Amino acid sequence: MSNLETEPDELVSHDGPAAGIHVLEPREVPLGGPRAMTVRRTLPQRERSLIGAWCFVDHYGPDDVAETGGMTVPPHPHTGLQTVSWLFEGEVEHRDSTGAHAMVRPGEVNLMTAGSGIQHSEVSTPTTTRLHGAQLWVALPDRDRHTAPFFEHAEPAPITVGTATLRVFVGELAGSSSPVRTFTALLGAQLDLPAGTSVDLPVDARFEHGLLVDAGTARLDGVEIPGAHLGYAAPGRSSVRIAAGDSPLRALLLGGEPLGEPIVMWWNFIGRDHDEIVAFREQWQAEVIDGGDAAGRFGTVEGWDHALPAPIMPDVRLRPRD
């Protein structure tokens, strides 16, 4: 999914030490148009910019497509990141400039590595009546961020741990692993728990973790995480206890080894300094929006005759921070 804000904030991400459990509140972001889809964004924000290399968490729905119009995102660019698409309801058609054409369906993961540059489109299918899911971004480390773009699709098999059902779509957890490629140590899994039950999960003590609550309420190591909120747990835990409240819990458990690198994230680009972001934007406008080079950095998405122009850059320099 694109960041469709017409005046995107300067998103400066950095790793900061933290201890204990912190609860991050979502902010609502409309994705444009008179019947805009509204997403709940919990990452990045002032209190926390990264969880491992996870740098962007949008949570949306359940939306009645008859009211919102569903998802129609024309081709738009990305650099320096991976997008991870995960649905609870509905179906979305993905096309990108590597030639990939795939559906995003509940319980299946689409992972797109932008690397040096890519463009893609996302459109909910005509049969979709309700749309509900999460769009996640992963920052690529400096050594890998110029890799050639590619696309992967996987269907993680559910596993049972105690009363919990897990679907591991990135990394490894409880003996289950995902085949999709990552460039840093990461974890992404859907967790379902019956009401009033809990589960203890062994985790990598190097990782920091986030629990995004989709349905119900959760307790993460004893701290309550309300619906649509993101609970953050600092590194140093070899296990986490997750408990459901009075209704069934559905949540995403995200984790990773701290990235340890400053990044600058603006609109749909991730770079390392202001000038690099400016160059990405200028190249997108010249090659794609103005039709200068269909074989350039971002390539072409088949089936489209237009793409999203980039917003105007802010009149201050974007600053990476340590």
Side-chain angles (χ1 to χ4, degrees):
M1 183 183 296
S2 171
N3 179 8
L4 298 182
E5 292 177 284
T6 56
E7 296 184 7
D9 292 337
E10 172 190 359
L11 300 176
V12 181
S13 297
H14 57 93
D15 292 330
I21 306 293
H22 299 271
V23 180
L24 305 180
E25 295 185 3
R27 66 182 179 96
E28 292 192 346
V29 178
L31 293 188
R35 293 195 303 168
M37 271 186 65
T38 297
V39 301
R40 298 174 292 277
R41 186 164 297 164
T42 48
L43 209 65
Q45 54 179 277
R46 292 187 182 278
E47 292 90 339
R48 174 134 304 267
S49 301
L50 292 160
I51 296 177
W54 298 102
C55 61
F56 187 89
V57 176
D58 271 2
H59 177 214
Y60 56 91
D63 288 337
D64 183 343
V65 170
E67 294 182 0
T68 66
M71 182 186 296
T72 302
V73 184
H76 56 279
H78 290 292
T79 59
L81 58 85
Q82 295 177 294
T83 66
V84 180
S85 301
W86 187 257
L87 282 179
F88 304 119
E89 293 180 87
E91 183 180 60
V92 173
E93 181 181 34
H94 165 99
R95 293 180 185 268
D96 70 42
S97 52
T98 71
H101 178 207
M103 298 298 173
V104 187
R105 300 185 179 95
E108 303 175 8
V109 63
N110 277 8
L111 186 148
M112 184 184 75
T113 299
S116 59
I118 201 170
Q119 60 169 304
H120 74 133
S121 64
E122 297 158 296
V123 179
S124 51
T125 60
T127 58
T128 295
T129 58
R130 282 163 60 92
L131 198 57
H132 185 189
Q135 182 64 52
L136 315 168
W137 292 0
V138 176
L140 292 173
D142 189 58
R143 66 180 181 271
D144 299 307
R145 66 191 182 95
H146 298 296
T147 192
F150 61 94
F151 175 86
E152 297 171 280
H153 174 90
E155 302 178 22
I159 64 168
T160 300
V161 179
T163 59
T165 300
L166 301 173
R167 291 172 174 83
V168 180
F169 54 84
V170 170
E172 300 181 7
L173 180 65
S176 179
S177 62
S178 170
V180 300
R181 183 181 179 190
T182 61
F183 293 82
T184 55
L186 284 176
L187 166 66
Q190 179 178 321
L191 168 86
D192 291 85
L193 265 178
T197 67
S198 65
V199 64
D200 293 298
L201 296 175
V203 294
D204 192 321
R206 300 171 301 162
F207 284 17
E208 49 192 352
H209 290 89
L211 187 72
L212 176 67
V213 176
D214 173 64
T217 60
R219 297 189 74 83
L220 176 61
D221 283 353
V223 176
E224 183 171 335
I225 314 297
H229 288 58
L230 182 68
Y232 170 80
R237 290 169 169 79
S238 58
S239 68
V240 293
R241 172 167 288 185
I242 300 171
D246 295 334
S247 59
L249 170 67
R250 179 166 61 196
L252 297 184
L253 180 62
L254 307 174
E257 193 171 11
L259 182 63
E261 298 177 11
I263 65 173
V264 177
M265 191 163 74
W266 179 84
W267 194 45
N268 296 305
F269 303 125
I270 290 184
R272 292 302 185 270
D273 59 39
H274 175 90
D275 293 337
E276 190 172 43
I277 297 293
V278 169
F280 290 150
R281 182 194 180 277
E282 290 179 349
Q283 199 166 6
W284 171 253
Q285 292 294 113
E287 292 181 356
V288 179
I289 302 304
D290 297 335
D293 186 0
R297 175 187 292 272
F298 300 102
T300 301
V301 179
E302 295 295 330
W304 289 85
D305 60 5
H306 68 285
L308 287 177
I312 301 299
M313 290 288 297
D315 56 7
V316 296
R317 289 186 65 82
L318 308 176
R319 296 176 295 108
R321 298 177 185 173
D322 295 328

